[in-house]
Amino acid sequence: MAALGCGCRVLLCAALSALGVSAQYAENKAEHFFRSGHTNNWAVLVCTSRFWFNYRHVANTLSVYRSVKRLGIPDSHIILMLADDMACNPRNPKPATVFSHKNMELNVYGDNVEVDYRGYEVTVENFLRVLTGRLPPSTPRLKRLLSDDRSNILIYMTGHGGNGFLKFQDSEEITNVELADAFEQMWQKRRYNELLFIIDTCQGASMYERFYSPNIIALASSQVGEDSLSHQPDMAIGVHLMDRYTFYVLEFLEEVHPASQNNMNDLFQVCPKSLCVSTPGHRTDLFQREPQTVLITDFFGSVRKVELTEKSVVLEPQREDAKKRVFPEESTMTELAAYANQLPVSQIIHQKPRPQEWHPPGGFILGLWALILLVFFKTYGLKHMKHVF
């Protein structure tokens, strides 16, 4: 009996230990699940270049747009800004398409692309207004960044740039100071929880040097003094289809799915100098979490978090008399909003068309007066013209 009791105690201790480990594991998993602290995702994708030879910049932006939509961010949470419409360019041998690969198998334009700002709407002013929320009251919701203090925002920009600036439309530029101040306004106005900034342009690292707002991770395709190079030339259309950095980033994103555990450290290593030729850079000193704890889907996806609460909510059942009750205001509104009776379809088809009223064409009266004066002048001469006036 003593041996049996000892064995039972050992089994009980083992079971309690297993339960303790299981509870600790569940707690760690829950902490891992909620560590980002965001409840919604937004993306602002900007192509700043015009003209056919910048085809690759439009393809870059549309490819990122396709990836974030595939990972769950809806169009209502994506602000897409394209400075030119390559799909409708007369030089495009395949109208209504934009391809990002030489084999022409992946059309990133597609049938469901919603461009929010296009052409000359893509300006520095509009971009900064979108970020800071300083838009006119008449601006529709689909053109607004309606983020809050629990929003994770991805901002992707591509175009031509230099040391400390990015060109818009080849006519104006945004500086790194202006961009840094816009992000600070967003932080002060509680418009983001965490922000991922990616830029693919020459000397791209200069654009995040002046950032000073918290919770920002920044990536660039090249260091100061380096060019960001293009990729995949297509002889049929005479231009490059993508830029190198964005190509390898998207190649990495194709392997990501909503449940992936890939983190930011993986993203930092997707395009080494041997592939990009330029030297990609990143900045994480403003970010509060370690990059290895930040999932790719925290910014590129829209994985909904579930928040647990200990508070109970009591829902009262709907009473039968409340269901049957009809308010007089509702019936009045129903009568006011009723459609007018329409003609039967047979009467609409067989009714005779109304004869059109004749109106003289434009200039007819003036021409008639000119003809009368000409005939009078030919008949009576100039000396009788005083009788006319």
Side-chain angles (χ1 to χ4, degrees):
M1 288 294 292
L4 181 60
C6 182
C8 290
R9 284 195 296 271
V10 170
L11 289 175
L12 181 60
C13 290
L16 291 176
S17 176
L19 287 174
V21 172
S22 177
Q24 184 66 28
Y25 175 77
E27 185 177 352
N28 292 338
K29 290 291 288 183
E31 183 180 356
H32 173 81
F33 189 72
F34 291 109
R35 63 189 175 188
S36 116
H38 75 287
T39 58
N40 58 90
N41 289 81
W42 287 81
V44 181
L45 314 177
V46 187
C47 166
T48 65
S49 299
R50 292 185 65 83
F51 311 121
W52 177 250
F53 56 84
N54 292 319
Y55 181 102
R56 65 188 185 278
H57 294 156
V58 176
N60 289 346
T61 311
L62 289 174
S63 298
V64 177
Y65 170 81
R66 172 184 171 274
S67 294
V68 297
K69 282 190 66 176
R70 181 181 63 83
L71 291 172
I73 302 182
D75 269 316
S76 58
H77 282 208
I78 301 175
I79 305 296
L80 181 59
M81 308 178 77
L82 298 180
D84 206 344
D85 193 355
M86 297 304 173
C88 298
N89 193 294
R91 294 187 183 183
N92 193 342
K94 295 185 178 182
T97 60
V98 175
F99 294 98
S100 59
H101 291 78
K102 290 189 293 186
N103 53 15
M104 296 293 182
E105 291 180 358
L106 181 59
N107 175 22
V108 293
Y109 194 77
D111 299 326
N112 57 351
V113 174
E114 294 187 12
V115 183
D116 301 294
Y117 293 83
R118 67 172 69 244
Y120 290 110
E121 290 181 325
V122 182
T123 62
V124 174
E125 179 183 354
N126 283 343
F127 174 64
L128 294 178
R129 286 184 178 276
V130 167
L131 294 184
T132 58
R134 300 176 182 272
L135 291 165
S138 59
T139 305
R141 289 179 61 88
L142 289 178
K143 289 190 171 187
R144 294 176 180 267
L145 180 65
L146 301 175
S147 56
D148 53 38
D149 60 344
R150 303 197 70 179
S151 302
N152 276 14
I153 303 178
L154 164 67
I155 297 180
Y156 172 85
M157 304 184 74
T158 182
H160 291 289
N163 190 355
F165 69 90
L166 177 68
K167 292 200 296 184
F168 273 67
Q169 306 271 6
D170 281 342
S171 60
E172 58 177 347
E173 56 272 333
I174 184 173
T175 65
N176 52 7
V177 176
E178 292 171 328
L179 190 60
D181 290 342
F183 289 166
E184 176 62 17
Q185 285 190 49
M186 294 177 68
W187 176 254
Q188 295 294 339
K189 297 172 71 174
R190 301 170 65 88
R191 289 179 60 81
Y192 74 86
N193 172 57
E194 294 172 339
L195 191 148
L196 174 62
F197 175 75
I198 302 178
I199 186 166
D200 192 345
T201 184
C202 298
Q203 309 191 59
S206 64
M207 291 301 293
Y208 61 63
E209 287 180 342
R210 299 298 184 92
F211 290 176
Y212 56 94
S213 305
N215 284 3
I216 296 179
I217 296 180
L219 292 89
S221 60
S222 56
Q223 297 292 332
V224 177
E226 293 183 342
D227 293 333
S228 183
L229 302 181
S230 54
H231 193 49
Q232 293 202 345
D234 189 288
M235 301 305 172
I237 61 177
V239 294
H240 287 78
L241 298 182
M242 289 195 76
D243 282 318
R244 283 181 174 271
Y245 181 75
T246 300
F247 175 82
Y248 290 107
V249 167
L250 293 171
E251 191 175 55
F252 166 75
L253 290 177
E254 285 299 312
E255 304 298 325
V256 176
H257 53 84
S260 294
Q261 296 299 308
N262 302 86
N263 57 57
M264 280 296 158
N265 276 346
D266 300 325
L267 183 61
F268 296 160
Q269 300 169 11
V270 297
C271 190
K273 190 171 183 178
S274 59
L275 295 176
C276 278
V277 183
S278 60
T279 309
H282 59 270
R283 182 178 176 188
T284 60
D285 59 297
L286 298 172
F287 206 71
Q288 295 181 357
R289 294 192 285 152
E290 293 297 325
Q292 64 268 20
T293 66
V294 182
L295 298 178
I296 295 296
T297 51
D298 284 353
F299 293 98
F300 286 92
S302 185
V303 180
R304 299 300 180 187
K305 301 290 189 291
V306 178
E307 297 189 13
L308 304 178
T309 177
E310 296 180 355
K311 297 180 181 179
S312 60
V313 179
V314 180
L315 300 178
E316 296 182 358
Q318 190 175 7
R319 296 179 300 178
E320 294 295 330
D321 55 346
K323 294 181 181 178
K324 298 179 181 179
R325 185 178 178 186
V326 179
F327 296 95
E329 293 81 1
E330 291 184 1
S331 59
T332 306
M333 289 299 296
T334 305
E335 294 175 0
L336 293 175
Y339 287 101
N341 295 328
Q342 303 294 318
L343 288 175
V345 177
S346 58
Q347 295 185 23
I348 295 176
I349 295 176
H350 297 291
Q351 63 183 349
K352 296 180 180 180
R354 179 183 298 178
Q356 296 182 353
E357 298 180 0
W358 183 86
H359 296 281
F364 178 79
I365 302 299
L366 183 62
L368 183 61
W369 273 108
L371 180 61
I372 293 173
L373 290 176
L374 182 62
V375 171
F376 185 87
F377 178 74
K378 287 286 187 181
T379 306
Y380 299 102
L382 188 62
K383 62 181 179 179
H384 295 285
M385 288 293 290
K386 62 182 180 179
H387 298 291
V388 177
F389 300 102

